[in-house]
Amino acid sequence: MCDTPCSVDWRTTACCCVGANPLTHSCVQLHMRYQVLNHVAPGSEWSNYECCQGYIPACPPCFEPGRCGERDCPRSCMFLEAFCFPGLAISASRFVLMEQYHLRPDPCDNRMIRINNCLQLLSIICDIAAHFDRNLRDLAQLIDCAADLIFLAISGCMTAQMDHEMAYRTALEAGRPDTYASVATSEPAGPAGVVEGKIVTPLQVETMDR
């Protein structure tokens, strides 16, 4: 994910910059979800959309994916999802692609996400502490700024990674695998198993490090 913005074409770099812009972030994630859903199921439009694509468990009566008005106003719901829960919105789109192609996250991706999560948690702790000790307000604001910048940078990288993955898969299906470079590694398939009386060979698992 960290190599994607600078290692491929100008389109992916531009996608990273736009995805990291706080002014365009919500609109970009709305567009990316549409692209991902229609890449996985061509021509489906918004028919397969639901809030966070069902990856977040329901919390009735406040939040129930599939019952938040997605069928009537999918674009509005997706925009609100991206605006109110930007991290969940981009992760849900990424999970859809990872499930579709049996991808696992690159170890570097996991480290970047953990760093972001730790900074967000530290930001919350410092904000709370600053309410009790005014001397910590400057430190809290500094950490808030760092956490926001790191989040936006990772969001841009994730957006570029998804865009490049879809372009790579499209080129692969069209018989033009060299159009987009791939540096993904794969694991050998495991032993065959039996599912409902049929012999099934597990699919290879690739690392999402394009």
Side-chain angles (χ1 to χ4, degrees):
M1 182 167 63
C2 61
D3 296 330
T4 303
C6 302
S7 62
V8 285
D9 58 1
W10 64 268
R11 168 184 164 175
T12 307
T13 303
C15 187
C16 177
C17 294
V18 176
N21 189 330
L23 299 177
T24 59
H25 187 272
S26 297
C27 294
V28 169
Q29 296 316 316
L30 185 152
H31 177 71
M32 286 304 300
R33 181 68 60 83
Y34 177 83
Q35 292 295 323
V36 167
L37 293 177
N38 284 270
H39 176 80
V40 172
S44 62
E45 296 291 327
W46 288 98
S47 60
N48 294 326
Y49 169 72
E50 64 177 278
C51 190
C52 297
Q53 295 307 121
Y55 291 107
I56 305 301
C59 182
C62 303
F63 175 75
E64 292 186 65
R67 297 184 179 181
C68 299
E70 295 99 320
R71 295 293 173 264
D72 298 326
C73 305
R75 294 175 181 82
S76 299
C77 289
M78 180 59 219
F79 183 83
L80 287 174
E81 176 189 332
F83 184 79
C84 299
F85 312 106
L88 297 179
I90 191 171
S91 294
S93 298
R94 187 167 178 258
F95 289 155
V96 171
L97 279 178
M98 293 176 71
E99 280 195 357
Q100 175 70 12
Y101 295 113
H102 305 278
L103 300 171
R104 67 176 183 181
D106 181 65
C108 181
D109 295 1
N110 286 335
R111 286 192 288 270
M112 291 173 66
I113 293 170
R114 290 188 190 115
I115 290 173
N116 173 70
N117 292 343
C118 289
L119 273 175
Q120 298 298 331
L121 181 59
L122 181 61
S123 174
I124 293 173
I125 293 174
C126 288
D127 284 339
I128 294 174
H131 284 289
F132 299 96
D133 187 348
R134 292 187 176 183
N135 295 325
L136 295 175
R137 288 185 177 179
D138 290 340
L139 176 62
Q141 290 179 354
L142 182 62
I143 294 177
D144 285 346
C145 183
D148 290 341
L149 290 175
I150 292 294
F151 171 77
L152 290 171
I154 292 177
S155 294
C157 291
M158 278 189 178
T159 301
Q161 185 186 49
M162 288 189 292
D163 181 74
H164 183 65
E165 185 69 34
M166 288 187 288
Y168 168 74
R169 296 293 174 173
T170 300
L172 196 64
E173 292 171 3
R176 296 178 286 109
D178 295 334
T179 303
Y180 288 88
S182 171
V183 292
T185 56
S186 60
E187 292 183 347
V194 178
V195 178
E196 296 182 354
K198 299 180 180 180
I199 298 177
V200 178
T201 302
L203 297 174
Q204 288 187 332
V205 179
E206 290 185 76
T207 300
M208 193 176 186
D209 56 0
R210 264 176 280 282

